[in-house]
Amino acid sequence: MSFRRPATWPARALALLFAASASFCLNAARAQDATDDTPQAAQTPAVQTPTPTPSPAETPTATPEPTPSTSPAPTPSSSPTPSPSPTPSAGEEAEEVERINTDLTNVLLTATDKKRRFVTTIGEADLRVLEDGVPQQVLTFQRETDTPLSIAFLVDASASQEGVLKDEQEAARSFVQSVLRPGKDNAAVISFTGVTRIEQPLTGERAALDAAVNRVKVQFNIKSPECNQEEVPEEVRVRCLTSAWDAVVITIREVLARTPESTRRAIILLSDGDDKSSRTRIFQAVEDAIKNNTVVYAVGIRDDSIGVGELRKDYLRHISEETGGRAFFPKNKTELNAAFAQIEQELRSQYLISYTPSNKTPDGRFRRVEIEITNPALRKQKLRLFYRQGYFARGGPASPQATQRQ
């Protein structure tokens, strides 16, 4: 190798030093910009691995605000606590899940008549889809009876569930036996108080799911000293609270968001919805569900002998209807079983509607979706339609879901 002149080395060295300094400054600026644009809540809650601990009861405090409003992204109040079971979920790590970028918008639709019977005879020509009031061209319209299901049973283990938990467990076990198809569907079991515990990650093993359902216990009631003495450690006292919306977000991020895009994701939330301690507000939990194509079915139930708290039908209806699910409020064991049967029928009676939005701006904004029946004969039947009320367009600022799936 030949060199020009040794005398030029100092000049070249200075040039190289200047270029390296400029590159360092530019990268530092980019790193700062990336930090400023990424909300703190974008970090997925860390998963802990403690020894098994029964879930505690609830100590009521202030009532949360029922009306959604703008606010920073959700920050769950606690980390999920997996059971010692090694059964893996559909994706072992969020980074291992294949990211599918597509312009298609998918909406699951369910229709019922006046007698609450499911209508399974609707065709593509019988309806139209609007996005922000603009009609869209439907590309796919089909029944979704064969698509794999990923279901998370999210069970409130606070004091308000003490007298009804056994009925909930029995109904959940029956649901697993009748709904889950071997080799195709998966389910998970999560319990919560002021902390959230993953009793069983997603699995198709019915025996493992039954065992997880049976593990859910109400450890503390409203008379427990752990929930009434000031000197009790915070890690114990938090188990006397109820953080339903935190639990919804953790379930989505740690369990359902790791499943394939083609899977139908659903949460069956068994709770009175009387959230006293979540750092996540309900509209933020709704946003997480919508961004991750998760339908929430709420079963509002509580022990009527508990003298504090209440059944928050407004909250449970809101999170269900906004995500395309429904809320049920059974008054006894028979009605509870009927609610689970209704959810089962609905999961088997859905339509998949896909379209490419006419608005292709990648601004990350919320797009309102409306589905209208145009067939005159069907319009006379005054069908009731259930579907998610909108979605968030791709692009825009980073969101809590961006680290897992969109």
Side-chain angles (χ1 to χ4, degrees), residues 63-387:
T63 301
E65 301 176 24
T67 305
S69 61
T70 56
S71 176
T75 304
S77 62
S78 56
S79 299
T81 307
S83 79
S85 171
T87 306
S89 62
E92 191 66 26
E93 295 292 340
E95 290 76 14
E96 294 178 1
V97 178
E98 180 182 1
R99 184 183 297 275
I100 301 176
N101 292 318
T102 175
D103 291 332
L104 279 180
T105 295
N106 298 321
V107 181
L108 290 171
L109 169 69
T110 306
T112 59
D113 60 18
K114 292 180 180 179
K115 296 183 179 180
R116 299 183 179 180
R117 296 173 299 192
F118 291 99
V119 179
T120 58
T121 57
I122 296 176
E124 180 179 341
D126 296 327
L127 50 76
R128 70 170 179 169
V129 179
L130 300 96
E131 182 176 295
D132 290 338
V134 179
Q136 305 294 309
Q137 182 178 358
V138 174
L139 301 178
T140 302
F141 183 90
Q142 63 186 40
R143 286 282 302 279
E144 280 293 281
T145 55
D146 197 47
T147 304
L149 293 169
S150 291
I151 300 173
F153 292 93
L154 186 53
V155 186
D156 188 342
S158 66
S160 65
Q161 306 300 302
E162 188 171 22
V164 295
L165 183 58
K166 287 185 178 180
D167 290 343
E168 293 176 359
Q169 291 170 318
E170 182 179 329
R173 289 193 298 267
S174 297
F175 184 89
V176 167
Q177 293 297 321
S178 60
V179 173
L180 258 63
R181 297 164 295 181
K184 183 180 288 286
D185 302 326
N186 289 284
V189 179
I190 300 95
S191 64
F192 69 92
T193 50
V195 293
T196 300
R197 178 181 180 80
I198 301 177
E199 303 285 352
Q200 173 61 55
L202 282 171
T203 181
E205 297 295 330
R206 294 177 178 178
L209 292 167
D210 286 349
V213 169
N214 291 336
R215 279 198 300 272
V216 179
K217 304 294 181 185
V218 175
Q219 181 180 6
F220 303 142
N221 58 38
I222 59 175
K223 296 181 180 179
S224 298
E226 292 85 351
C227 302
N228 293 282
Q229 296 177 357
E230 295 183 359
E231 63 273 15
V232 174
E234 181 61 27
E235 60 268 21
V236 175
R237 181 176 294 278
V238 71
R239 297 176 181 275
C240 298
L241 305 175
T242 302
S243 300
W245 317 134
D246 284 352
V248 168
V249 170
I250 290 170
T251 298
I252 293 171
R253 296 181 185 180
E254 293 297 320
V255 180
L256 296 178
R258 301 184 179 191
T259 61
E261 288 277 1
S262 58
T263 302
R264 281 184 293 165
R265 303 166 181 165
I267 290 175
I268 298 179
L269 173 61
L270 293 157
S271 175
D272 58 5
D274 195 19
D275 192 319
K276 301 297 186 182
S277 56
S278 282
R279 285 186 289 174
T280 302
R281 295 173 63 187
I282 185 172
F283 82 91
Q284 294 170 327
V286 169
E287 180 176 316
D288 256 54
I290 291 174
K291 286 184 175 180
N292 288 281
N293 294 326
T294 301
V295 178
V296 179
Y297 294 97
V299 179
I301 189 169
R302 65 178 277 116
D303 186 345
D304 291 333
S305 67
I306 302 297
V308 295
E310 60 181 315
L311 176 60
R312 295 308 302 259
K313 293 184 178 181
D314 52 347
Y315 287 177
L316 297 176
R317 285 196 181 103
H318 178 71
I319 196 169
S320 298
E321 293 174 2
E322 288 296 314
T323 60
R326 278 200 275 175
F328 303 87
F329 303 100
K331 298 179 181 178
N332 51 50
K333 182 178 179 179
T334 300
E335 292 185 3
L336 175 62
N337 291 331
F340 270 89
Q342 191 87 345
I343 295 172
E344 176 185 350
Q345 286 183 297
E346 184 157 330
L347 291 171
R348 302 302 181 203
S349 305
Q350 292 176 321
Y351 300 90
L352 172 66
I353 301 174
S354 299
Y355 66 92
T356 300
S358 57
N359 181 359
K360 301 186 183 302
T361 306
D363 53 14
R365 294 181 178 274
F366 183 78
R367 309 280 176 82
R368 177 65 62 179
V369 174
E370 297 176 80
I371 300 177
E372 298 178 345
I373 296 294
T374 56
N375 184 315
L378 290 176
R379 287 178 66 89
K380 291 180 180 179
Q381 297 181 29
K382 296 183 178 181
L383 302 182
R384 189 175 181 188
L385 306 180
F386 300 89
Y387 55 92

